[in-house]
């Protein structure tokens, strides 16, 4: 059950936010700037690559692996980017019986593909730096002659191993809030029952992605403008202002989106690889921060993969049972909700009722400044149902499918022409929405 009154109570939000997720997200822009500055100091600015690598392999887990998937979406078909998820796990013994069990991720294992060799680059990224499997992977890559880059906290076992395998070490930037967060009686939303599976910092993604993009920009893997990363940090700041806790729900696009998703089973559809990466991230954050299941998919294949959801009970527009029965004691039924994420670069039509460069009447079109001197547009905007702009056939068919089964479809679009900036806007908005939904639901 969603407590929508909490969304308009900044003090209550702060009390409910035990692990300070909102504060972590608000500092994402500063974290990107710090990561870029430290990467340059570590020697990235002095790197003189001799051509592009045949493939870039990105190893990690959680948001580190998500960063690799986002890099693959941004690189497109111009370069081969291969995210490497863990392939196995082993128990890590305690130092003694009095200590807490080791974190589960410390025992994860990775394996290089058989074809990886001297023509390839391996990027290893970790927020903890204590994963034995990543240390072993670095040694394996060194034996095969791969170039290696490691992002890990200074002084961690992984950072020390990077020096042994002649890797380029890049520091991982932790959250600025290092104080101990107070836990509730249930151990911070019940997570205390699983001490070896701690929650991940919701803004750690940017500490993984910023040095990764700075590296691949230097290597020519991602065709980014020279100031694209600095502009991305500005966009994160602008989103934090729009989605701040003391902004009313009707002006805060993240709170509005959280309220829309309450009591629904979301289908997160996306058009294009950039929006697809944002949808996948949103599904993971809804599970992590809000405890809600969601299905993510790319158009057009999502239409056939998720068709059964519409023809089943969740997609029914009317209650087939007795309409006149007493429902006072019954919980509200769950229904499907389609959230469609897109990147569009068309100019907004001028005319009466136009809200400027963004889509008219969209939540969050409050005039926050854009990046790199671009015109103000308020970030990703909800596309009106009667929007007359051209759509692909897949998007048109998605609207028809939802309408035919009385399923609400909400479309959000970023109009940034630069794919990285569109990705940043969509991810920043949906990250805040997932946190708000979790805070309001748990209250």
């Amino acid at each position: 059950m969603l407590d929508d009154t909490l969304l308009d109570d900044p003090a209550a939000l702060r009390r409910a936010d035990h692990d300070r997720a909102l504060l972590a997200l608000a500092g994402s822009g500063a974290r990107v700037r710090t990561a870029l500055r430290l990467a340059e100091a570590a020697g990235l600015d002095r790197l003189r690559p001799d051509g592009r690598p045949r493939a870039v392999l990105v190893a990690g887990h959680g948001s580190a692996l998500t960063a690799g998937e986002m890099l693959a979406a941004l690189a497109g078909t111009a370069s081969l980017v291969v995210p490497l998820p863990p392939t196995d796990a082993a128990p890590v013994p305690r130092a003694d019986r009095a200590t807490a069990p080791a974190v589960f991720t410390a025992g994860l294992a990775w394996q290089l593909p058989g074809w990886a060799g001297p023509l390839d680059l391996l990027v290893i990224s970790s927020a903890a730096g204590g994963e034995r499997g990543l240390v072993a992977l670095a040694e394996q890559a060194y034996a095969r002659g791969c170039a290696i880059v490691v992002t890990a906290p200074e002084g961690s076992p992984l950072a020390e191993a990077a020096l042994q395998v002649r890797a380029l070490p890049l520091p991982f930037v932790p959250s600025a809030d290092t104080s101990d967060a107070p836990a509730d009686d249930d151990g911070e939303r019940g997570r205390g029952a699983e001490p070896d599976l701690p929650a991940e910092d919701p803004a750690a993604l940017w500490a993984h992605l910023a040095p990764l993009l700075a590296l691949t920009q230097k290597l020519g893997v991602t065709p980014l403008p020279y100031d694209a990363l600095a502009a991305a940090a500005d966009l994160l700041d602008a989103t934090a202002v729009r989605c701040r806790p003391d902004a009313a729900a009707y002006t805060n696009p993240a709170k509005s989106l959280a309220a829309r998703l309450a009591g629904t089973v979301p289908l997160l559809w996306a058009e294009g690889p950039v929006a697809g990466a944002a949808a996948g991230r949103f599904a993971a954050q809804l599970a992590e921060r809000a405890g809600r299941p969601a299905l993510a998919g790319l158009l057009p294949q999502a239409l056939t993969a998720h068709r059964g959801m519409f023809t089943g009970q969740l997609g029914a527009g009317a209650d087939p049972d007795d309409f006149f029965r007493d429902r006072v004691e019954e919980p509200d039924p769950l229904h499907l909700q389609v959230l469609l994420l897109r990147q569009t670069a068309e100019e907004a039509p001028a005319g009466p009722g136009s809200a400027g460069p963004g889509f008219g009447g969209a939540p969050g079109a409050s005039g926050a400044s854009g990046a790199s001197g671009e015109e103000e547009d308020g970030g990703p905007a909800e596309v009106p149902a009667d929007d007359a702009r051209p759509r692909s056939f897949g998007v048109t068919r998605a609207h028809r499918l939802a309408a035919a089964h009385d399923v609400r479809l909400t479309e959000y679009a970023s109009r940034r022409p630069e794919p990285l900036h569109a990705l940043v806007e969509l991810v920043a908005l949906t990250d805040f929405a997932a946190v708000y939904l979790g805070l309001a639901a748990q209250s």
Side-chain angles (χ1 to χ4, degrees), residues 371-441:
S372 301
E374 292 185 18
E375 193 174 80
E376 298 178 349
D377 69 352
E382 182 180 339
V383 182
D386 59 352
D387 184 69
R389 291 177 181 82
R391 293 170 172 164
S392 68
F393 179 69
V395 172
T396 301
R397 187 65 182 90
H399 279 270
R400 285 169 45 202
L401 178 64
H405 295 273
D406 294 330
V407 172
R408 184 170 62 186
L409 186 150
T410 305
E411 185 176 335
Y412 278 81
S414 172
R415 295 187 57 251
R416 298 282 175 182
E418 171 57 46
L420 171 61
H421 297 161
L423 176 67
V424 167
E425 284 194 332
L426 292 171
V427 170
L429 169 64
T430 52
D431 277 359
F432 270 104
V435 171
Y436 279 126
L437 180 59
L439 295 178

Side-chain angles (χ1 to χ4, degrees), residues 330-355:
E330 295 183 8
D332 293 334
L334 288 175
H335 292 295
L336 283 184
Q337 155 82 344
V338 177
L339 180 68
L340 177 57
L341 302 181
R342 300 173 63 199
Q343 177 197 5
T344 60
E346 305 92 351
E347 291 297 325
S354 175

Side-chain angles (χ1 to χ4, degrees), residues 171-222:
F172 177 85
V173 180
S175 173
D177 180 23
T178 57
S179 59
D180 293 331
D184 58 11
D185 294 337
D186 294 329
E188 197 260 310
R189 288 197 290 161
R191 291 178 187 156
E194 302 293 343
D196 65 329
L197 297 172
E200 187 178 29
D201 174 8
L205 169 67
W206 306 110
H208 293 295
L209 188 60
L212 179 60
L213 290 179
L215 171 67
T216 54
Q217 182 184 35
K218 190 80 172 179
L219 297 176
V221 174
T222 47

Side-chain angles (χ1 to χ4, degrees), residues 81-345:
V81 178
V82 182
L84 291 183
T87 57
D88 200 0
V92 178
R94 303 187 188 190
D96 55 68
R97 291 186 178 274
T99 61
V103 177
F104 174 78
T105 54
L108 296 178
W110 283 259
Q111 179 66 42
L112 276 179
W115 49 263
L119 299 178
D120 306 309
L121 168 66
L122 172 66
V123 180
I124 300 175
S125 193
S126 169
E131 297 89 342
R132 298 179 178 181
L134 290 179
V135 173
L137 183 68
E139 295 171 349
Q140 185 183 78
Y142 178 67
R144 295 217 203 158
C146 299
I148 308 171
V149 176
V150 172
T151 300
E154 294 182 354
S156 65
L158 183 56
E160 295 175 358
L163 302 178
Q164 300 298 320
V165 298
R166 299 182 181 180
L168 172 63
L170 300 178
F172 177 85
V173 180
S175 173
D177 180 23
T178 57
S179 59
D180 293 331
D184 58 11
D185 294 337
D186 294 329
E188 197 260 310
R189 288 197 290 161
R191 291 178 187 156
E194 302 293 343
D196 65 329
L197 297 172
E200 187 178 29
D201 174 8
L205 169 67
W206 306 110
H208 293 295
L209 188 60
L212 179 60
L213 290 179
L215 171 67
T216 54
Q217 182 184 35
K218 190 80 172 179
L219 297 176
V221 174
T222 47
L224 298 175
Y226 76 96
D227 60 344
L229 295 175
D234 293 339
L235 286 173
L236 288 170
D237 288 344
T239 302
V241 171
R242 285 192 301 273
C243 300
R244 64 191 185 276
D246 61 349
Y250 64 89
T251 64
N252 186 321
K255 292 181 180 180
S256 299
L257 179 54
R260 281 184 177 274
L261 295 180
T264 68
V265 177
L267 296 181
L268 308 178
W269 289 353
E271 184 182 37
V274 169
R281 162 74 174 184
F282 193 21
Q285 288 300 97
L286 284 174
E288 169 69 12
R289 309 307 313 183
R292 303 296 179 90
L295 290 176
L298 269 175
L299 293 180
Q301 57 265 38
L303 294 174
T304 54
H306 297 165
R307 181 195 64 83
M309 301 288 288
F310 291 83
T311 58
Q313 292 181 351
L314 292 176
D319 188 349
D321 297 331
D322 180 12
F323 179 80
F324 297 101
R325 78 177 188 275
D326 185 6
R327 295 176 172 81
V328 174
E329 300 299 327
E330 295 183 8
D332 293 334
L334 288 175
H335 292 295
L336 283 184
Q337 155 82 344
V338 177
L339 180 68
L340 177 57
L341 302 181
R342 300 173 63 199
Q343 177 197 5
T344 60

